[in-house]
mmCIF file of all heavy atoms in Angstrom:
data_model
loop_
_atom_site.group_PDB
_atom_site.id
_atom_site.type_symbol
_atom_site.label_atom_id
_atom_site.label_comp_id
_atom_site.label_asym_id
_atom_site.label_seq_id
_atom_site.Cartn_x
_atom_site.Cartn_y
_atom_site.Cartn_z
ATOM 1 N N HIS A 1363 40.451 -138.409 1.989
ATOM 2 C CA HIS A 1363 41.553 -137.631 2.490
ATOM 3 C C HIS A 1363 41.116 -136.198 2.726
ATOM 4 O O HIS A 1363 40.336 -135.682 1.844
ATOM 5 C CB HIS A 1363 42.705 -137.638 1.412
ATOM 6 C CG HIS A 1363 43.358 -139.001 1.365
ATOM 7 N ND1 HIS A 1363 44.694 -139.291 1.612
ATOM 8 C CD2 HIS A 1363 42.827 -140.221 0.860
ATOM 9 C CE1 HIS A 1363 44.906 -140.533 1.363
ATOM 10 N NE2 HIS A 1363 43.850 -141.129 0.900
ATOM 11 N N ILE A 1364 41.542 -135.594 3.804
ATOM 12 C CA ILE A 1364 41.141 -134.211 4.145
ATOM 13 C C ILE A 1364 42.438 -133.434 4.372
ATOM 14 O O ILE A 1364 43.227 -133.798 5.201
ATOM 15 C CB ILE A 1364 40.186 -134.118 5.273
ATOM 16 C CG1 ILE A 1364 38.918 -134.845 5.033
ATOM 17 C CG2 ILE A 1364 39.938 -132.684 5.695
ATOM 18 C CD1 ILE A 1364 37.874 -134.843 6.085
ATOM 19 N N LYS A 1365 42.537 -132.296 3.648
ATOM 20 C CA LYS A 1365 43.693 -131.354 3.872
ATOM 21 C C LYS A 1365 43.242 -130.104 4.563
ATOM 22 O O LYS A 1365 42.315 -129.498 4.178
ATOM 23 C CB LYS A 1365 44.292 -131.020 2.496
ATOM 24 C CG LYS A 1365 45.504 -130.065 2.571
ATOM 25 C CD LYS A 1365 46.126 -129.841 1.179
ATOM 26 C CE LYS A 1365 47.404 -129.035 1.243
ATOM 27 N NZ LYS A 1365 47.943 -128.792 -0.082
ATOM 28 N N ASP A 1366 43.936 -129.801 5.652
ATOM 29 C CA ASP A 1366 43.725 -128.570 6.363
ATOM 30 C C ASP A 1366 44.465 -127.477 5.578
ATOM 31 O O ASP A 1366 45.721 -127.576 5.421
ATOM 32 C CB ASP A 1366 44.287 -128.605 7.809
ATOM 33 C CG ASP A 1366 44.031 -127.380 8.594
ATOM 34 O OD1 ASP A 1366 44.564 -126.267 8.259
ATOM 35 O OD2 ASP A 1366 43.208 -127.428 9.549
ATOM 36 N N LEU A 1367 43.790 -126.556 5.035
ATOM 37 C CA LEU A 1367 44.373 -125.571 4.052
ATOM 38 C C LEU A 1367 45.272 -124.531 4.787
ATOM 39 O O LEU A 1367 46.064 -123.870 4.176
ATOM 40 C CB LEU A 1367 43.268 -124.873 3.328
ATOM 41 C CG LEU A 1367 42.479 -125.893 2.382
ATOM 42 C CD1 LEU A 1367 41.400 -125.080 1.595
ATOM 43 C CD2 LEU A 1367 43.420 -126.577 1.372
ATOM 44 N N ASP A 1368 45.166 -124.350 6.073
ATOM 45 C CA ASP A 1368 46.001 -123.463 6.811
ATOM 46 C C ASP A 1368 47.337 -124.152 7.119
ATOM 47 O O ASP A 1368 48.455 -123.619 6.847
ATOM 48 C CB ASP A 1368 45.383 -123.032 8.115
ATOM 49 C CG ASP A 1368 44.238 -122.052 7.934
ATOM 50 O OD1 ASP A 1368 44.295 -121.379 6.902
ATOM 51 O OD2 ASP A 1368 43.356 -121.971 8.770
ATOM 52 N N SER A 1369 47.350 -125.384 7.625
ATOM 53 C CA SER A 1369 48.543 -126.042 8.043
ATOM 54 C C SER A 1369 49.104 -126.853 6.924
ATOM 55 O O SER A 1369 50.360 -127.202 6.958
ATOM 56 C CB SER A 1369 48.279 -126.921 9.277
ATOM 57 O OG SER A 1369 47.389 -128.011 8.919
ATOM 58 N N GLY A 1370 48.310 -127.240 5.969
ATOM 59 C CA GLY A 1370 48.837 -128.098 4.871
ATOM 60 C C GLY A 1370 48.774 -129.597 5.286
ATOM 61 O O GLY A 1370 49.137 -130.488 4.419
ATOM 62 N N GLU A 1371 48.369 -129.945 6.540
ATOM 63 C CA GLU A 1371 48.312 -131.303 6.938
ATOM 64 C C GLU A 1371 47.268 -132.105 6.280
ATOM 65 O O GLU A 1371 46.113 -131.676 6.076
ATOM 66 C CB GLU A 1371 48.142 -131.356 8.478
ATOM 67 C CG GLU A 1371 48.119 -132.771 9.023
ATOM 68 C CD GLU A 1371 47.820 -132.799 10.507
ATOM 69 O OE1 GLU A 1371 47.696 -131.666 11.078
ATOM 70 O OE2 GLU A 1371 47.683 -133.852 11.070
ATOM 71 N N VAL A 1372 47.596 -133.334 5.780
ATOM 72 C CA VAL A 1372 46.630 -134.204 5.134
ATOM 73 C C VAL A 1372 46.424 -135.447 5.956
ATOM 74 O O VAL A 1372 47.342 -136.070 6.434
ATOM 75 C CB VAL A 1372 47.137 -134.611 3.734
ATOM 76 C CG1 VAL A 1372 46.176 -135.576 3.043
ATOM 77 C CG2 VAL A 1372 47.314 -133.329 2.839
ATOM 78 N N SER A 1373 45.132 -135.785 6.108
ATOM 79 C CA SER A 1373 44.764 -137.019 6.908
ATOM 80 C C SER A 1373 43.880 -137.987 6.045
ATOM 81 O O SER A 1373 42.938 -137.480 5.379
ATOM 82 C CB SER A 1373 44.027 -136.638 8.152
ATOM 83 O OG SER A 1373 44.792 -135.818 9.027
ATOM 84 N N ASN A 1374 44.240 -139.188 6.120
ATOM 85 C CA ASN A 1374 43.295 -140.212 5.543
ATOM 86 C C ASN A 1374 42.299 -140.605 6.603
ATOM 87 O O ASN A 1374 42.604 -141.516 7.427
ATOM 88 C CB ASN A 1374 44.050 -141.419 5.050
ATOM 89 C CG ASN A 1374 43.212 -142.454 4.386
ATOM 90 O OD1 ASN A 1374 42.008 -142.405 4.493
ATOM 91 N ND2 ASN A 1374 43.766 -143.471 3.830
ATOM 92 N N VAL A 1375 41.143 -140.031 6.639
ATOM 93 C CA VAL A 1375 40.219 -140.168 7.762
ATOM 94 C C VAL A 1375 39.505 -141.599 7.757
ATOM 95 O O VAL A 1375 38.890 -141.957 8.772
ATOM 96 C CB VAL A 1375 39.177 -139.061 7.843
ATOM 97 C CG1 VAL A 1375 39.909 -137.735 8.014
ATOM 98 C CG2 VAL A 1375 38.275 -138.958 6.620
ATOM 99 N N THR A 1376 39.432 -142.237 6.606
ATOM 100 C CA THR A 1376 38.764 -143.504 6.529
ATOM 101 C C THR A 1376 39.729 -144.697 6.400
ATOM 102 O O THR A 1376 39.355 -145.797 5.984
ATOM 103 C CB THR A 1376 37.782 -143.543 5.325
ATOM 104 O OG1 THR A 1376 38.510 -143.288 4.111
ATOM 105 C CG2 THR A 1376 36.671 -142.529 5.558
ATOM 106 N N ALA A 1377 41.022 -144.464 6.721
ATOM 107 C CA ALA A 1377 42.022 -145.496 6.565
ATOM 108 C C ALA A 1377 41.649 -146.754 7.263
ATOM 109 O O ALA A 1377 41.986 -147.899 6.802
ATOM 110 C CB ALA A 1377 43.390 -144.956 6.978
ATOM 111 N N GLU A 1378 41.060 -146.670 8.491
ATOM 112 C CA GLU A 1378 40.816 -147.874 9.276
ATOM 113 C C GLU A 1378 39.439 -148.418 9.048
ATOM 114 O O GLU A 1378 38.987 -149.366 9.690
ATOM 115 C CB GLU A 1378 40.994 -147.523 10.756
ATOM 116 C CG GLU A 1378 42.328 -146.956 11.117
ATOM 117 C CD GLU A 1378 43.461 -147.864 10.671
ATOM 118 O OE1 GLU A 1378 43.314 -149.119 10.944
ATOM 119 O OE2 GLU A 1378 44.459 -147.399 10.164
ATOM 120 N N TRP A 1379 38.684 -147.936 8.107
ATOM 121 C CA TRP A 1379 37.325 -148.326 7.796
ATOM 122 C C TRP A 1379 37.343 -149.091 6.439
ATOM 123 O O TRP A 1379 37.669 -148.531 5.423
ATOM 124 C CB TRP A 1379 36.451 -147.128 7.743
ATOM 125 C CG TRP A 1379 34.942 -147.471 7.516
ATOM 126 C CD1 TRP A 1379 34.247 -148.402 8.152
ATOM 127 C CD2 TRP A 1379 34.015 -146.730 6.738
ATOM 128 N NE1 TRP A 1379 32.943 -148.336 7.754
ATOM 129 C CE2 TRP A 1379 32.753 -147.358 6.892
ATOM 130 C CE3 TRP A 1379 34.124 -145.659 5.894
ATOM 131 C CZ2 TRP A 1379 31.626 -146.894 6.267
ATOM 132 C CZ3 TRP A 1379 33.003 -145.134 5.270
ATOM 133 C CH2 TRP A 1379 31.753 -145.779 5.401
ATOM 134 N N ASP A 1380 36.974 -150.338 6.459
ATOM 135 C CA ASP A 1380 37.161 -151.233 5.282
ATOM 136 C C ASP A 1380 35.908 -151.161 4.379
ATOM 137 O O ASP A 1380 35.253 -152.159 4.094
ATOM 138 C CB ASP A 1380 37.422 -152.635 5.695
ATOM 139 C CG ASP A 1380 38.034 -153.496 4.541
ATOM 140 O OD1 ASP A 1380 38.305 -152.929 3.524
ATOM 141 O OD2 ASP A 1380 38.125 -154.710 4.719
ATOM 142 N N ARG A 1381 35.616 -149.955 3.967
ATOM 143 C CA ARG A 1381 34.560 -149.793 2.906
ATOM 144 C C ARG A 1381 35.110 -148.783 1.858
ATOM 145 O O ARG A 1381 35.944 -147.953 2.238
ATOM 146 C CB ARG A 1381 33.300 -149.231 3.538
ATOM 147 C CG ARG A 1381 32.469 -150.261 4.299
ATOM 148 C CD ARG A 1381 31.905 -151.390 3.409
ATOM 149 N NE ARG A 1381 31.224 -152.424 4.140
ATOM 150 C CZ ARG A 1381 31.789 -153.527 4.615
ATOM 151 N NH1 ARG A 1381 33.022 -153.762 4.443
ATOM 152 N NH2 ARG A 1381 31.064 -154.428 5.192
ATOM 153 N N SER A 1382 34.698 -148.943 0.644
ATOM 154 C CA SER A 1382 35.084 -147.984 -0.477
ATOM 155 C C SER A 1382 34.026 -146.994 -0.628
ATOM 156 O O SER A 1382 32.830 -147.343 -0.724
ATOM 157 C CB SER A 1382 35.327 -148.738 -1.742
ATOM 158 O OG SER A 1382 35.781 -147.946 -2.801
ATOM 159 N N VAL A 1383 34.349 -145.758 -0.612
ATOM 160 C CA VAL A 1383 33.400 -144.656 -0.633
ATOM 161 C C VAL A 1383 32.982 -144.322 -2.132
ATOM 162 O O VAL A 1383 33.803 -144.117 -2.973
ATOM 163 C CB VAL A 1383 34.047 -143.358 0.004
ATOM 164 C CG1 VAL A 1383 33.061 -142.185 -0.118
ATOM 165 C CG2 VAL A 1383 34.473 -143.596 1.411
ATOM 166 N N SER A 1384 31.667 -144.305 -2.344
ATOM 167 C CA SER A 1384 31.175 -143.983 -3.644
ATOM 168 C C SER A 1384 30.957 -142.515 -3.817
ATOM 169 O O SER A 1384 31.308 -141.885 -4.781
ATOM 170 C CB SER A 1384 29.837 -144.722 -3.882
ATOM 171 O OG SER A 1384 29.958 -146.136 -3.924
ATOM 172 N N SER A 1385 30.339 -141.897 -2.763
ATOM 173 C CA SER A 1385 30.091 -140.468 -2.795
ATOM 174 C C SER A 1385 30.112 -139.921 -1.311
ATOM 175 O O SER A 1385 29.930 -140.748 -0.406
ATOM 176 C CB SER A 1385 28.786 -140.056 -3.462
ATOM 177 O OG SER A 1385 27.646 -140.573 -2.705
ATOM 178 N N TYR A 1386 30.252 -138.598 -1.163
ATOM 179 C CA TYR A 1386 30.278 -138.098 0.179
ATOM 180 C C TYR A 1386 29.927 -136.577 0.128
ATOM 181 O O TYR A 1386 30.079 -135.938 -0.930
ATOM 182 C CB TYR A 1386 31.641 -138.302 0.821
ATOM 183 C CG TYR A 1386 32.771 -137.468 0.274
ATOM 184 C CD1 TYR A 1386 33.220 -136.319 0.903
ATOM 185 C CD2 TYR A 1386 33.318 -137.764 -0.980
ATOM 186 C CE1 TYR A 1386 34.262 -135.525 0.420
ATOM 187 C CE2 TYR A 1386 34.352 -136.981 -1.535
ATOM 188 C CZ TYR A 1386 34.784 -135.814 -0.867
ATOM 189 O OH TYR A 1386 35.712 -135.072 -1.445
ATOM 190 N N ALA A 1387 29.523 -136.042 1.249
ATOM 191 C CA ALA A 1387 29.250 -134.606 1.344
ATOM 192 C C ALA A 1387 29.472 -134.213 2.837
ATOM 193 O O ALA A 1387 29.201 -134.977 3.727
ATOM 194 C CB ALA A 1387 27.810 -134.324 0.961
ATOM 195 N N PHE A 1388 29.968 -132.965 3.005
ATOM 196 C CA PHE A 1388 30.089 -132.469 4.338
ATOM 197 C C PHE A 1388 28.756 -132.109 4.956
ATOM 198 O O PHE A 1388 27.799 -131.627 4.288
ATOM 199 C CB PHE A 1388 30.946 -131.123 4.350
ATOM 200 C CG PHE A 1388 32.454 -131.436 4.273
ATOM 201 C CD1 PHE A 1388 33.134 -131.352 3.050
ATOM 202 C CD2 PHE A 1388 33.145 -131.663 5.467
ATOM 203 C CE1 PHE A 1388 34.485 -131.582 3.017
ATOM 204 C CE2 PHE A 1388 34.513 -131.827 5.428
ATOM 205 C CZ PHE A 1388 35.167 -131.784 4.197
ATOM 206 N N SER A 1389 28.606 -132.195 6.306
ATOM 207 C CA SER A 1389 27.513 -131.662 7.060
ATOM 208 C C SER A 1389 27.742 -130.104 7.052
ATOM 209 O O SER A 1389 28.805 -129.639 6.770
ATOM 210 C CB SER A 1389 27.510 -132.210 8.451
ATOM 211 O OG SER A 1389 28.717 -131.822 9.137
ATOM 212 N N HIS A 1390 26.621 -129.375 7.411
ATOM 213 C CA HIS A 1390 26.788 -127.936 7.320
ATOM 214 C C HIS A 1390 27.796 -127.328 8.356
ATOM 215 O O HIS A 1390 28.462 -126.335 8.070
ATOM 216 C CB HIS A 1390 25.353 -127.316 7.724
ATOM 217 C CG HIS A 1390 24.565 -127.146 6.470
ATOM 218 N ND1 HIS A 1390 23.719 -126.065 6.292
ATOM 219 C CD2 HIS A 1390 24.471 -127.848 5.290
ATOM 220 C CE1 HIS A 1390 23.138 -126.096 5.046
ATOM 221 N NE2 HIS A 1390 23.613 -127.158 4.415
ATOM 222 N N ASP A 1391 28.041 -128.041 9.448
ATOM 223 C CA ASP A 1391 29.063 -127.546 10.364
ATOM 224 C C ASP A 1391 30.428 -128.079 10.108
ATOM 225 O O ASP A 1391 31.466 -127.750 10.760
ATOM 226 C CB ASP A 1391 28.616 -127.879 11.851
ATOM 227 C CG ASP A 1391 28.552 -129.388 12.084
ATOM 228 O OD1 ASP A 1391 28.959 -130.193 11.194
ATOM 229 O OD2 ASP A 1391 28.058 -129.763 13.170
ATOM 230 N N GLY A 1392 30.562 -128.924 9.015
ATOM 231 C CA GLY A 1392 31.872 -129.421 8.658
ATOM 232 C C GLY A 1392 32.446 -130.511 9.545
ATOM 233 O O GLY A 1392 33.595 -130.919 9.309
#
C-alpha cells in the first residue's frame, strides 16, 4: 500500500498481483 502524503490518497498497488511480498525497497527515483 502506498499513501500520497500530500493528498492522503492510499493505493494498493499490488492488489492484482497474486504474490505475497516478503520485502521491498524504493528505487532512487521513487
Side-chain angles (χ1 to χ4, degrees):
H1363 293 242
I1364 297 180
K1365 181 177 183 178
D1366 186 292
L1367 297 179
D1368 288 332
S1369 67
E1371 181 182 355
V1372 177
S1373 300
N1374 179 353
V1375 298
T1376 59
E1378 303 304 316
W1379 185 41
D1380 198 8
R1381 286 294 179 267
S1382 185
V1383 177
S1384 296
S1385 67
Y1386 70 104
F1388 277 97
S1389 62
H1390 269 217
D1391 61 10

